Amino acid sequence: MRIVFMGTPAFAVASLDALTTAGCDVVGVVTAPDKPAGRGQKVSESAVKQYAVANGLKVLQPEKLKSPEFIADLKALKADLQVVVAFRMLPEVVWNMPPKGTINLHASLLPQYRGAAPINWAIINGEKETGVTTFFLKHEIDTGDVLFTEKVTLTGSETAGELHDRLMNKGAGLLVKTVKAVESNKYNEHPQEQLAAGIDLKHAPKIFKDDCRIDFNQSAEQVYNLIRGLSPSPVAYTMLNDKVLKIYNASYEQGEPGISAGGFVTNHKNNLKFATKDGFISVTDVQLEGKKRMSIEEFLRGVRL
């Protein structure tokens, strides 16, 4: 079965590697165009492109997915199946091209957490479990018929970065299972409309800067979950001495804070904690605007509070 793989970030590399390691015939890789990045604006290649080039795979990098040139190049690959992991939204002319369709790997238990940031929102909302899902693409984003899912139990203390890596590896294995099942026509399709019946659906929209600002009028647990769910990127923040203070890691304690929400107490050595409506958030890993990321001990040595 001839497969075209579509993806861009490191999350997708694990899946591409799993497919090639399993002996799947990946005849082409579609990824984002190279772009300037960093202070020097050096041209940066996607993680998927770097892997594909290193492993001798044909690479396509279309600016526009509907361009006649790209469509012609894609058709020339004569794919039986397309596989999408962390890529752009595809036009129908692309996802409907191969005879066996196009499958997508999504980092949630669909139909829960459709959208751009399922890993972040699962932690922000304090979920006890999440997982990965494979499904066939159709018109509406993340709504196609589900093929396979695999659950992951959350510890209640992991960051989005840590969960990203767990789901990246779990998803790679599930994707190989799915491709093998599609190849042998041994699979069932589960319409998401049926799976969604009678449950409260939560969504995972793109996260913007306003979503990252901490509201200390929430509970300590809610603030703690926000910090975990946005670490290491895009990072939760508050204002301190009229500067942005990004908080990468913290712990929390419940109890009567005795000061107003958003106020803080410190011993000026190794402890800085902000009051919430029902407790405190003790920050342990921070970055003040204009400074590098540092431990709370380093931070307190260099700032006057």
Side-chain angles (χ1 to χ4, degrees):
M1 189 167 64
R2 294 173 63 85
I3 297 170
V4 166
F5 183 91
M6 301 182 179
T8 295
F11 187 91
V13 173
S15 289
L16 178 55
D17 181 61
L19 290 174
T20 57
T21 300
C24 297
D25 186 16
V26 179
V27 296
V29 171
V30 182
T31 191
D34 300 344
K35 60 181 181 181
R39 289 184 178 178
Q41 290 293 284
K42 290 184 178 179
V43 174
S44 174
E45 298 177 340
S46 77
V48 164
K49 180 184 178 180
Q50 292 174 33
Y51 177 92
V53 170
N55 289 273
L57 300 173
K58 181 177 178 62
V59 177
L60 300 178
Q61 295 179 274
E63 290 281 353
K64 296 181 179 178
L65 296 175
K66 290 184 179 179
S67 75
E69 296 83 6
F70 170 63
I71 298 301
D73 289 342
L74 193 59
K75 282 182 178 175
L77 295 175
K78 297 179 179 177
D80 299 300
L81 176 73
Q82 289 175 160
V83 174
V84 179
V85 182
F87 193 58
R88 290 182 274 175
M89 189 172 176
L90 300 180
E92 184 174 1
V93 67
V94 172
W95 62 255
N96 206 23
M97 187 182 295
K100 287 187 176 288
T102 298
I103 58 175
N104 188 200
L105 171 68
H106 188 73
S108 80
L109 298 173
L110 290 173
Q112 291 287 18
Y113 293 108
R114 293 170 177 158
I119 295 173
N120 305 93
W121 285 109
I123 292 181
I124 291 169
N125 289 336
E127 297 293 353
K128 303 298 186 217
E129 69 174 16
T130 185
V132 285
T133 302
T134 51
F135 67 100
F136 278 117
L137 283 185
K138 68 175 190 179
H139 287 282
E140 296 81 12
I141 190 166
D142 297 339
T143 61
D145 291 349
V146 168
L147 293 166
F148 297 97
T149 61
E150 193 157 342
K151 294 180 179 180
V152 168
T153 300
L154 300 184
T155 66
S157 62
E158 66 269 89
T159 63
E162 290 163 347
L163 180 57
H164 168 282
D165 291 352
R166 287 177 67 194
L167 294 182
M168 175 178 71
N169 295 319
K170 186 77 72 174
L174 187 69
L175 189 62
V176 172
K177 174 183 175 179
T178 303
V179 167
K180 297 292 188 184
V182 171
E183 186 171 26
S184 59
N185 288 313
K186 293 180 179 177
Y187 61 90
N188 295 311
E189 296 181 50
H190 307 280
Q192 288 194 45
E193 295 80 6
Q194 294 178 12
L195 297 173
I199 64 173
D200 180 23
L201 286 184
K202 297 172 185 173
H203 298 280
K206 185 176 179 180
I207 292 172
F208 295 96
K209 186 174 182 181
D210 284 349
D211 300 314
C212 301
R213 183 156 189 170
I214 297 170
D215 177 6
F216 286 107
N217 290 301
Q218 292 186 315
S219 71
E221 185 175 16
Q222 286 174 308
V223 174
Y224 174 65
N225 289 343
L226 180 74
I227 291 168
R228 293 190 300 118
L230 297 177
S231 180
S233 178
V235 196
Y237 74 93
T238 188
M239 302 302 295
L240 186 68
N241 292 349
D242 296 323
K243 291 187 175 183
V244 171
L245 180 71
K246 293 181 178 180
I247 303 174
Y248 289 87
N249 279 301
S251 61
Y252 77 98
E253 59 189 82
Q254 292 173 315
E256 176 54 51
I259 58 174
S260 59
F264 66 85
V265 293
T266 179
N267 64 3
H268 302 286
K269 293 179 181 180
N270 58 7
N271 187 267
L272 171 64
K273 52 187 189 178
F274 291 88
T276 69
K277 73 175 185 180
D278 67 350
F280 283 102
I281 292 290
S282 294
V283 301
T284 56
D285 185 356
V286 299
Q287 182 176 13
L288 189 65
E289 185 179 334
K291 303 288 185 180
K292 65 182 181 72
R293 178 177 172 179
M294 61 186 75
S295 69
I296 192 62
E297 291 85 359
E298 289 178 283
F299 173 73
L300 290 173
R301 279 200 299 269
V303 69
R304 183 173 294 178
L305 296 178

